[in-house]
Amino acid sequence: MNSLGTENSVDLFSPATWTSHPATRYAGADYPGLRPIGSWRLDPDGELRGLDPDALGWRDRDTDEPVDLSGRQFVLAYGSNADPHKLLTKEGFLGGHSVFALRSAIFGWAAVWCDARRGDDTVVATLARAPGRVEVHPVLALTADQLRRMNCWEGHPDCYRLTTHHDPIQWESGRWATEHVEVYLGTPEKRPTLLVDGCPVLCAEIGYADIDGMVDR
């Protein structure tokens, strides 16, 4: 696995060149919401700022300032937690601090639909093993308080359980992650995986409009 290096990062990660803009641009979409291409920083003022990778980490696309992630906790986001508008509108979540979303590739896992709905009647997603599959998702760099608040809305440990992600993660720079990364996995009791003919239903293959009619209310 570690033979995969920066030469493959262009194939996995499409270029991101957008400039800063308000996170409200991503409002109003069906679950799992919208998210910008590439890595980004969401500031408490609601502004979304692009980040570009370098050999050591990430830099602000507009100012070229390095990003300081010291003290942050890393959580893989594959559903609506990757939607900056959702994060902005969760009351008290930012707590006066920015949130960083760092584009990455995960190997052997896929975002799949749950055979369950959350409190607002929305069908939600989980992560399931998918040998041979590669997907691109952001890893959120959170303060301890932001992670505590996220645990609350994810229903940890009953609905989703926060656990260590043990498999390889490649940052968009091509560097392999050595950071400790966690992930929310749906529990079999409250967030079971939707199976069709015994196979998980991939979020990348079936959109929300179709999945909404496949899950009981």
Side-chain angles (χ1 to χ4, degrees):
M1 180 65 73
N2 285 338
S3 62
L4 180 61
T6 56
E7 69 277 5
N8 286 346
S9 64
V10 173
D11 298 328
L12 290 171
F13 306 110
S14 55
T17 58
W18 52 269
T19 56
S20 61
H21 55 267
T24 51
R25 180 179 297 184
Y26 302 92
D30 286 337
Y31 182 97
L34 299 174
R35 67 288 312 272
I37 296 172
S39 298
W40 42 268
R41 183 181 87 218
L42 173 63
D43 288 340
D45 63 1
E47 194 75 0
L48 206 63
R49 293 173 168 81
L51 305 177
D52 289 326
D54 62 21
L56 299 177
W58 291 263
R59 290 183 172 273
D60 185 288
R61 182 171 302 135
D62 296 330
T63 67
D64 203 39
E65 290 294 318
V67 173
D68 181 7
L69 299 176
S70 57
R72 295 279 175 154
Q73 296 171 269
F74 296 89
V75 179
L76 176 64
Y78 53 85
S80 61
N81 286 341
D83 177 354
H85 186 256
K86 170 192 171 176
L87 300 181
L88 178 65
T89 54
K90 280 287 187 180
E91 185 175 358
F93 171 63
L94 292 180
H97 298 279
S98 299
V99 169
F100 299 92
L102 311 172
R103 187 164 55 164
S104 67
I106 62 172
F107 297 82
W109 291 83
V112 300
W113 292 107
C114 290
D115 192 6
R117 295 175 182 269
R118 62 187 180 190
D120 65 357
D121 202 39
T122 301
V123 182
V124 289
T126 186
L127 205 66
R129 289 196 177 275
R133 187 170 178 82
V134 183
E135 291 193 349
V136 174
H137 297 288
V139 171
L140 302 180
L142 306 174
T143 67
D145 184 65
Q146 289 167 350
L147 181 57
R148 180 184 63 81
R149 292 176 183 272
M150 189 172 284
N151 277 338
C152 291
W153 80 58
E154 292 297 339
H156 169 76
D158 299 319
C159 295
Y160 288 93
R161 185 167 293 122
L162 188 65
T163 186
T164 300
H165 186 79
H166 291 289
D167 289 297
I169 292 177
Q170 186 186 32
W171 301 120
E172 61 180 317
S173 64
R175 180 175 65 86
W176 291 95
T178 57
E179 297 84 354
H180 178 81
V181 177
E182 296 182 289
V183 64
Y184 290 101
L185 298 181
T187 63
E189 298 79 16
K190 297 289 185 70
R191 296 292 185 267
T193 300
L194 177 65
L195 301 176
V196 174
D197 297 329
C199 298
V201 180
L202 273 62
C203 296
E205 295 181 353
I206 303 292
Y208 188 84
D210 293 320
I211 211 70
D212 189 41
M214 297 172 61
V215 177
D216 292 338
R217 283 182 163 81

